Amino acid sequence: GENVEQHPSTLSVQEGDSAVIKCTYSDSASNYFPWYKQELGKRPQLIIDIRSNVGEKKDQRIAVTLNKTAKHFSLHITETQPEDSAVYFCAASRSNTGKLIFGQGTTLQVKP
Amino acid sequence: GAGVSQTPSNKVTEKGKYVELRCDPISGHTALYWYRQSLGQGPEFLIYFQGTGAADDSGLPNDRFFAVRPEGSVSTLKIQRTERGDSAVYLCASSSGVGNTIYFGEGSWLTVV
């Protein structure tokens, strides 16, 4: 069945360093890849997404890259800040279904 | 409303009881989704609606779970004969159309004791 693997499960960085989270997906028909940030007890919030017609997208300190051949996509956060600390989830879907398949999540800790 | 609204925010129920969880999507959003999130896990797809009809209910774990959206706006997730394993956060989400950005509500925390 459809599956998304996410690594690492936990990530600790010093403030100002970069953080990278990686995901692989199994469904080759997937063409939409969002990333959500979830703080404890709060809703998942979309931070960036990418569609399969592009290989990279950037929004200020956050970027996402996509390698469709390898079925692999990554989240890059530069100049990390303590408020970036949260759980991050990747997801994949076919845009004509709306059904997101989520990874297991990465707990990011940014130390001041 | 400004965002996806879910009620109740917290529900404690006894094993075997019936539970209803309500979701009010963002105004004008035609697609509505239900997910379940257990502690330390990513959200798990349950069902989604396009308008009033369930377009994909393949994630519902068994026939104790049912969801409706009779007028194409508010949706109710119904769980019969609750079990302790049903304890989780039930997240509702909506989008302006299938394939568009999906926005989540704060969730309904269900605890079955």
Short mmCIF file of all heavy atoms in Angstrom, two decimals, chain A residues 32 36 38 40-46 49 51 89 94-105, chain B residues 3-4 33 35 37 40-45 48 56 58 91 98-106 109:
data_model
loop_
_atom_site.label_atom_id
_atom_site.label_comp_id
_atom_site.label_asym_id
_atom_site.label_seq_id
_atom_site.Cartn_x
_atom_site.Cartn_y
_atom_site.Cartn_z
N TYR A 32 1.87 15.56 -5.16
CA TYR A 32 1.73 16.71 -4.28
C TYR A 32 2.35 16.35 -2.92
O TYR A 32 2.05 15.30 -2.36
CB TYR A 32 0.25 17.08 -4.10
CG TYR A 32 0.02 18.20 -3.10
CD1 TYR A 32 0.56 19.46 -3.30
CD2 TYR A 32 -0.74 17.98 -1.96
CE1 TYR A 32 0.36 20.47 -2.39
CE2 TYR A 32 -0.95 18.99 -1.04
CZ TYR A 32 -0.40 20.24 -1.25
OH TYR A 32 -0.60 21.25 -0.35
N TYR A 36 4.03 19.83 7.10
CA TYR A 36 3.27 20.44 8.17
C TYR A 36 4.13 20.53 9.43
O TYR A 36 4.92 19.64 9.72
CB TYR A 36 2.01 19.62 8.49
CG TYR A 36 0.91 19.76 7.47
CD1 TYR A 36 0.91 18.98 6.31
CD2 TYR A 36 -0.13 20.68 7.65
CE1 TYR A 36 -0.10 19.11 5.36
CE2 TYR A 36 -1.14 20.81 6.71
CZ TYR A 36 -1.12 20.03 5.57
OH TYR A 36 -2.11 20.16 4.64
N GLN A 38 3.76 20.90 13.58
CA GLN A 38 2.78 20.72 14.64
C GLN A 38 3.42 20.96 15.99
O GLN A 38 4.33 20.23 16.39
CB GLN A 38 2.16 19.31 14.58
CG GLN A 38 0.98 19.13 15.53
CD GLN A 38 0.32 17.77 15.36
OE1 GLN A 38 0.95 16.79 15.03
NE2 GLN A 38 -1.00 17.73 15.60
N LEU A 40 3.01 21.16 20.19
CA LEU A 40 2.36 20.25 21.13
C LEU A 40 0.92 20.67 21.40
O LEU A 40 0.65 21.80 21.81
CB LEU A 40 3.16 20.21 22.44
CG LEU A 40 2.75 19.13 23.43
CD1 LEU A 40 2.97 17.75 22.83
CD2 LEU A 40 3.53 19.28 24.73
N GLY A 41 0.00 19.76 21.14
CA GLY A 41 -1.41 20.03 21.41
C GLY A 41 -2.09 20.93 20.40
O GLY A 41 -3.24 21.33 20.62
N LYS A 42 -1.39 21.24 19.31
CA LYS A 42 -1.95 22.16 18.33
C LYS A 42 -2.22 21.45 17.01
O LYS A 42 -1.85 20.30 16.81
CB LYS A 42 -0.99 23.33 18.09
CG LYS A 42 -0.70 24.16 19.33
CD LYS A 42 -1.93 24.88 19.80
CE LYS A 42 -1.64 25.81 20.96
NZ LYS A 42 -2.87 26.50 21.44
N ARG A 43 -2.85 22.16 16.10
CA ARG A 43 -3.16 21.61 14.78
C ARG A 43 -1.91 21.54 13.92
O ARG A 43 -0.99 22.35 14.07
CB ARG A 43 -4.21 22.48 14.10
CG ARG A 43 -3.67 23.84 13.61
CD ARG A 43 -4.77 24.70 12.98
NE ARG A 43 -5.64 25.26 14.02
CZ ARG A 43 -6.83 25.78 13.76
NH1 ARG A 43 -7.31 25.79 12.52
NH2 ARG A 43 -7.57 26.28 14.73
N PRO A 44 -1.86 20.60 12.97
CA PRO A 44 -0.79 20.65 11.96
C PRO A 44 -1.00 21.88 11.08
O PRO A 44 -2.11 22.14 10.63
CB PRO A 44 -1.01 19.37 11.16
CG PRO A 44 -1.87 18.49 12.02
CD PRO A 44 -2.73 19.43 12.81
N GLN A 45 0.09 22.63 10.86
CA GLN A 45 0.00 23.84 10.03
C GLN A 45 0.92 23.69 8.83
O GLN A 45 2.10 23.36 9.00
CB GLN A 45 0.38 25.07 10.85
CG GLN A 45 -0.65 25.43 11.90
CD GLN A 45 -0.44 26.81 12.48
OE1 GLN A 45 0.61 27.09 13.03
NE2 GLN A 45 -1.43 27.67 12.34
N LEU A 46 0.37 23.96 7.66
CA LEU A 46 1.16 23.87 6.43
C LEU A 46 2.26 24.93 6.45
O LEU A 46 2.00 26.11 6.72
CB LEU A 46 0.27 24.09 5.22
CG LEU A 46 0.97 24.00 3.87
CD1 LEU A 46 1.25 22.55 3.53
CD2 LEU A 46 0.14 24.65 2.78
N ASP A 49 4.77 23.57 0.49
CA ASP A 49 4.40 22.40 -0.29
C ASP A 49 5.05 22.49 -1.68
O ASP A 49 5.49 23.57 -2.09
CB ASP A 49 2.89 22.23 -0.40
CG ASP A 49 2.18 23.45 -1.00
OD1 ASP A 49 2.86 24.37 -1.50
OD2 ASP A 49 0.94 23.50 -0.95
N ARG A 51 4.75 20.68 -5.79
CA ARG A 51 4.08 19.79 -6.73
C ARG A 51 5.13 19.21 -7.67
O ARG A 51 6.23 19.74 -7.81
CB ARG A 51 2.98 20.54 -7.48
CG ARG A 51 1.89 21.03 -6.51
CD ARG A 51 0.68 21.61 -7.18
NE ARG A 51 -0.21 22.17 -6.15
CZ ARG A 51 -1.17 21.48 -5.55
NH1 ARG A 51 -1.37 20.22 -5.86
NH2 ARG A 51 -1.94 22.07 -4.64
N PHE A 89 5.94 17.05 9.87
CA PHE A 89 5.43 15.90 9.13
C PHE A 89 5.51 16.17 7.64
O PHE A 89 5.09 17.24 7.17
CB PHE A 89 3.97 15.62 9.48
CG PHE A 89 3.75 15.12 10.87
CD1 PHE A 89 3.34 15.99 11.88
CD2 PHE A 89 3.93 13.77 11.18
CE1 PHE A 89 3.13 15.52 13.16
CE2 PHE A 89 3.72 13.31 12.47
CZ PHE A 89 3.32 14.19 13.46
N ARG A 94 -1.83 11.99 -4.33
CA ARG A 94 -2.20 12.25 -5.71
C ARG A 94 -3.18 13.40 -5.66
O ARG A 94 -4.15 13.34 -4.91
CB ARG A 94 -2.88 11.03 -6.32
CG ARG A 94 -2.06 9.77 -6.29
CD ARG A 94 -2.81 8.65 -6.97
NE ARG A 94 -2.14 7.37 -6.82
CZ ARG A 94 -2.50 6.25 -7.44
NH1 ARG A 94 -3.54 6.28 -8.27
NH2 ARG A 94 -1.84 5.13 -7.25
N SER A 95 -2.93 14.43 -6.41
CA SER A 95 -3.74 15.64 -6.26
C SER A 95 -5.19 15.44 -6.66
O SER A 95 -6.04 16.23 -6.29
CB SER A 95 -3.13 16.79 -7.08
OG SER A 95 -3.05 16.44 -8.44
N ASN A 96 -5.50 14.36 -7.37
CA ASN A 96 -6.89 14.14 -7.75
C ASN A 96 -7.66 13.33 -6.70
O ASN A 96 -8.84 13.03 -6.90
CB ASN A 96 -6.98 13.45 -9.11
CG ASN A 96 -6.34 12.07 -9.09
OD1 ASN A 96 -5.62 11.72 -8.16
ND2 ASN A 96 -6.61 11.28 -10.11
N THR A 97 -7.00 12.99 -5.58
CA THR A 97 -7.68 12.23 -4.54
C THR A 97 -7.83 13.03 -3.25
O THR A 97 -8.75 12.78 -2.49
CB THR A 97 -6.95 10.93 -4.19
OG1 THR A 97 -5.73 11.23 -3.51
CG2 THR A 97 -6.66 10.11 -5.42
N GLY A 98 -6.94 13.90 -2.94
CA GLY A 98 -6.99 14.64 -1.69
C GLY A 98 -6.59 13.85 -0.47
O GLY A 98 -6.66 14.34 0.65
N LYS A 99 -6.17 12.62 -0.64
CA LYS A 99 -5.84 11.75 0.49
C LYS A 99 -4.36 11.85 0.78
O LYS A 99 -3.53 11.38 0.02
CB LYS A 99 -6.21 10.30 0.13
CG LYS A 99 -5.83 9.25 1.13
CD LYS A 99 -6.24 7.89 0.58
CE LYS A 99 -5.77 6.75 1.45
NZ LYS A 99 -6.17 5.44 0.87
N LEU A 100 -4.01 12.51 1.91
CA LEU A 100 -2.61 12.66 2.29
C LEU A 100 -2.13 11.43 3.06
O LEU A 100 -2.81 10.98 3.99
CB LEU A 100 -2.44 13.89 3.18
CG LEU A 100 -2.66 15.26 2.55
CD1 LEU A 100 -2.57 16.35 3.62
CD2 LEU A 100 -1.64 15.52 1.46
N ILE A 101 -0.96 10.93 2.69
CA ILE A 101 -0.30 9.88 3.44
C ILE A 101 0.87 10.54 4.15
O ILE A 101 1.77 11.10 3.51
CB ILE A 101 0.21 8.75 2.53
CG1 ILE A 101 -0.93 8.19 1.68
CG2 ILE A 101 0.87 7.65 3.37
CD1 ILE A 101 -2.06 7.58 2.47
N PHE A 102 0.86 10.48 5.49
CA PHE A 102 1.84 11.19 6.29
C PHE A 102 3.02 10.30 6.68
O PHE A 102 2.86 9.08 6.87
CB PHE A 102 1.20 11.71 7.58
CG PHE A 102 0.39 12.96 7.40
CD1 PHE A 102 -0.93 12.90 7.00
CD2 PHE A 102 0.96 14.21 7.63
CE1 PHE A 102 -1.68 14.05 6.82
CE2 PHE A 102 0.22 15.37 7.46
CZ PHE A 102 -1.09 15.29 7.06
N GLY A 103 4.17 10.92 6.85
CA GLY A 103 5.30 10.27 7.47
C GLY A 103 5.10 10.21 8.98
O GLY A 103 4.11 10.72 9.51
N GLN A 104 6.08 9.61 9.67
CA GLN A 104 5.94 9.37 11.10
C GLN A 104 6.28 10.59 11.94
O GLN A 104 6.04 10.59 13.15
CB GLN A 104 6.83 8.19 11.52
CG GLN A 104 6.48 6.89 10.82
CD GLN A 104 7.21 6.70 9.50
OE1 GLN A 104 7.69 7.66 8.88
NE2 GLN A 104 7.33 5.47 9.08
N GLY A 105 6.85 11.60 11.32
CA GLY A 105 7.15 12.83 12.04
C GLY A 105 8.60 12.92 12.50
O GLY A 105 9.25 11.90 12.78
N GLY B 3 -11.44 29.48 10.46
CA GLY B 3 -10.67 28.25 10.36
C GLY B 3 -11.60 27.06 10.52
O GLY B 3 -12.82 27.21 10.68
N VAL B 4 -11.02 25.86 10.49
CA VAL B 4 -11.78 24.65 10.72
C VAL B 4 -12.07 24.54 12.21
O VAL B 4 -11.15 24.63 13.03
CB VAL B 4 -11.00 23.41 10.24
CG1 VAL B 4 -11.80 22.15 10.53
CG2 VAL B 4 -10.67 23.53 8.75
N TYR B 33 -12.10 16.43 5.23
CA TYR B 33 -11.33 15.22 5.52
C TYR B 33 -11.37 14.93 7.02
O TYR B 33 -11.37 15.84 7.84
CB TYR B 33 -9.86 15.42 5.13
CG TYR B 33 -9.65 16.00 3.75
CD1 TYR B 33 -9.74 17.37 3.55
CD2 TYR B 33 -9.34 15.19 2.67
CE1 TYR B 33 -9.55 17.93 2.29
CE2 TYR B 33 -9.14 15.73 1.41
CZ TYR B 33 -9.25 17.09 1.23
OH TYR B 33 -9.06 17.63 -0.03
N TYR B 35 -9.05 12.69 9.80
CA TYR B 35 -7.83 11.94 10.09
C TYR B 35 -7.84 11.58 11.57
O TYR B 35 -8.50 12.22 12.38
CB TYR B 35 -6.57 12.78 9.80
CG TYR B 35 -6.26 12.94 8.34
CD1 TYR B 35 -6.94 13.86 7.55
CD2 TYR B 35 -5.27 12.16 7.73
CE1 TYR B 35 -6.64 14.00 6.20
CE2 TYR B 35 -4.97 12.29 6.38
CZ TYR B 35 -5.67 13.22 5.64
OH TYR B 35 -5.38 13.35 4.29
N GLN B 37 -5.04 10.77 14.75
CA GLN B 37 -3.63 10.87 15.13
C GLN B 37 -3.43 10.29 16.52
O GLN B 37 -3.96 10.80 17.50
CB GLN B 37 -3.15 12.31 15.07
CG GLN B 37 -1.65 12.46 15.29
CD GLN B 37 -1.16 13.89 15.10
OE1 GLN B 37 -1.90 14.85 15.26
NE2 GLN B 37 0.12 14.03 14.73
N GLY B 40 2.48 10.42 19.11
CA GLY B 40 3.77 10.14 18.51
C GLY B 40 3.72 9.66 17.07
O GLY B 40 4.74 9.23 16.52
N GLN B 41 2.55 9.73 16.46
CA GLN B 41 2.38 9.26 15.09
C GLN B 41 1.91 10.38 14.18
O GLN B 41 1.40 11.41 14.64
CB GLN B 41 1.36 8.12 15.04
CG GLN B 41 1.72 6.93 15.90
CD GLN B 41 2.93 6.21 15.38
OE1 GLN B 41 3.10 6.01 14.18
NE2 GLN B 41 3.82 5.80 16.28
N GLY B 42 2.04 10.16 12.88
CA GLY B 42 1.48 11.09 11.92
C GLY B 42 -0.01 10.87 11.77
O GLY B 42 -0.52 9.79 12.10
N PRO B 43 -0.73 11.88 11.28
CA PRO B 43 -2.17 11.69 11.04
C PRO B 43 -2.42 10.55 10.06
O PRO B 43 -1.69 10.38 9.08
CB PRO B 43 -2.59 13.04 10.45
CG PRO B 43 -1.58 14.02 10.95
CD PRO B 43 -0.30 13.26 11.00
N GLU B 44 -3.47 9.80 10.34
CA GLU B 44 -3.84 8.64 9.53
C GLU B 44 -5.19 8.94 8.87
O GLU B 44 -6.16 9.25 9.55
CB GLU B 44 -3.94 7.41 10.43
CG GLU B 44 -4.45 6.15 9.77
CD GLU B 44 -4.74 5.07 10.80
OE1 GLU B 44 -4.68 5.35 12.01
OE2 GLU B 44 -5.08 3.95 10.39
N PHE B 45 -5.24 8.83 7.55
CA PHE B 45 -6.44 9.14 6.79
C PHE B 45 -7.59 8.20 7.16
O PHE B 45 -7.41 6.98 7.29
CB PHE B 45 -6.15 9.02 5.30
CG PHE B 45 -7.36 9.11 4.42
CD1 PHE B 45 -7.91 10.35 4.10
CD2 PHE B 45 -7.95 7.97 3.90
CE1 PHE B 45 -9.02 10.44 3.28
CE2 PHE B 45 -9.07 8.06 3.08
CZ PHE B 45 -9.60 9.29 2.77
N TYR B 48 -12.75 11.09 3.23
CA TYR B 48 -12.94 12.46 2.78
C TYR B 48 -14.21 12.58 1.94
O TYR B 48 -14.66 11.63 1.30
CB TYR B 48 -11.70 13.03 2.10
CG TYR B 48 -11.58 12.87 0.60
CD1 TYR B 48 -12.09 13.83 -0.27
CD2 TYR B 48 -10.89 11.79 0.08
CE1 TYR B 48 -11.93 13.70 -1.63
CE2 TYR B 48 -10.72 11.66 -1.29
CZ TYR B 48 -11.25 12.62 -2.14
OH TYR B 48 -11.09 12.50 -3.50
N ASP B 56 -13.97 8.88 -0.63
CA ASP B 56 -13.03 7.81 -0.29
C ASP B 56 -13.15 7.54 1.19
O ASP B 56 -12.83 8.41 2.00
CB ASP B 56 -11.60 8.25 -0.65
CG ASP B 56 -10.56 7.16 -0.42
OD1 ASP B 56 -10.84 6.16 0.30
OD2 ASP B 56 -9.44 7.31 -0.93
N SER B 58 -11.83 4.65 2.51
CA SER B 58 -10.97 3.47 2.65
C SER B 58 -10.18 3.42 3.95
O SER B 58 -9.66 2.37 4.32
CB SER B 58 -10.00 3.40 1.47
OG SER B 58 -9.15 4.54 1.46
N LEU B 91 -8.72 14.54 13.85
CA LEU B 91 -8.49 15.80 13.16
C LEU B 91 -9.41 15.92 11.96
O LEU B 91 -9.53 14.99 11.16
CB LEU B 91 -7.05 15.89 12.68
CG LEU B 91 -5.96 15.99 13.73
CD1 LEU B 91 -4.59 15.69 13.12
CD2 LEU B 91 -5.95 17.37 14.37
N VAL B 98 -10.54 19.38 -4.14
CA VAL B 98 -9.60 18.25 -4.06
C VAL B 98 -8.31 18.65 -4.77
O VAL B 98 -8.33 19.16 -5.88
CB VAL B 98 -10.23 17.01 -4.72
CG1 VAL B 98 -9.21 15.89 -4.82
CG2 VAL B 98 -11.44 16.56 -3.92
N GLY B 99 -7.20 18.40 -4.07
CA GLY B 99 -5.90 18.74 -4.62
C GLY B 99 -5.39 20.09 -4.20
O GLY B 99 -4.23 20.42 -4.46
N ASN B 100 -6.21 20.88 -3.54
CA ASN B 100 -5.79 22.19 -3.04
C ASN B 100 -5.30 22.07 -1.59
O ASN B 100 -5.45 21.04 -0.95
CB ASN B 100 -6.93 23.20 -3.14
CG ASN B 100 -7.31 23.49 -4.58
OD1 ASN B 100 -6.54 23.22 -5.50
ND2 ASN B 100 -8.50 24.02 -4.78
N THR B 101 -4.73 23.14 -1.08
CA THR B 101 -4.14 23.12 0.25
C THR B 101 -5.17 22.68 1.29
O THR B 101 -6.31 23.14 1.29
CB THR B 101 -3.62 24.51 0.62
OG1 THR B 101 -2.62 24.89 -0.34
CG2 THR B 101 -2.98 24.50 2.01
N ILE B 102 -4.72 21.80 2.17
CA ILE B 102 -5.58 21.24 3.20
C ILE B 102 -5.27 21.91 4.53
O ILE B 102 -4.11 21.94 4.96
CB ILE B 102 -5.39 19.71 3.29
CG1 ILE B 102 -5.87 19.06 2.00
CG2 ILE B 102 -6.11 19.14 4.50
CD1 ILE B 102 -5.59 17.56 1.91
N TYR B 103 -6.30 22.44 5.18
CA TYR B 103 -6.17 23.14 6.45
C TYR B 103 -6.83 22.31 7.55
O TYR B 103 -7.98 21.89 7.40
CB TYR B 103 -6.84 24.51 6.37
CG TYR B 103 -6.23 25.42 5.33
CD1 TYR B 103 -6.73 25.46 4.03
CD2 TYR B 103 -5.13 26.22 5.64
CE1 TYR B 103 -6.15 26.28 3.07
CE2 TYR B 103 -4.56 27.05 4.69
CZ TYR B 103 -5.07 27.06 3.40
OH TYR B 103 -4.50 27.87 2.46
N PHE B 104 -6.09 22.15 8.65
CA PHE B 104 -6.56 21.31 9.74
C PHE B 104 -7.21 22.11 10.85
O PHE B 104 -6.86 23.27 11.10
CB PHE B 104 -5.39 20.51 10.33
CG PHE B 104 -4.99 19.33 9.50
CD1 PHE B 104 -4.09 19.48 8.46
CD2 PHE B 104 -5.52 18.08 9.76
CE1 PHE B 104 -3.72 18.39 7.68
CE2 PHE B 104 -5.15 16.98 8.99
CZ PHE B 104 -4.25 17.14 7.95
N GLY B 105 -8.14 21.45 11.57
CA GLY B 105 -8.66 21.98 12.81
C GLY B 105 -7.78 21.57 13.97
O GLY B 105 -6.78 20.86 13.79
N GLU B 106 -8.15 22.01 15.17
CA GLU B 106 -7.35 21.72 16.37
C GLU B 106 -7.54 20.29 16.85
O GLU B 106 -6.77 19.80 17.66
CB GLU B 106 -7.70 22.70 17.49
CG GLU B 106 -7.33 24.14 17.21
CD GLU B 106 -5.84 24.41 17.32
OE1 GLU B 106 -5.05 23.50 17.66
OE2 GLU B 106 -5.44 25.56 17.04
N TRP B 109 -9.91 15.52 21.08
CA TRP B 109 -9.15 14.51 21.81
C TRP B 109 -10.14 13.54 22.44
O TRP B 109 -10.89 13.91 23.34
CB TRP B 109 -8.32 15.17 22.90
CG TRP B 109 -7.23 16.05 22.39
CD1 TRP B 109 -7.34 17.18 21.65
CD2 TRP B 109 -5.83 15.87 22.61
NE1 TRP B 109 -6.11 17.72 21.37
CE2 TRP B 109 -5.15 16.94 21.97
CE3 TRP B 109 -5.07 14.93 23.31
CZ2 TRP B 109 -3.76 17.07 21.99
CZ3 TRP B 109 -3.69 15.07 23.34
CH2 TRP B 109 -3.05 16.13 22.67
#
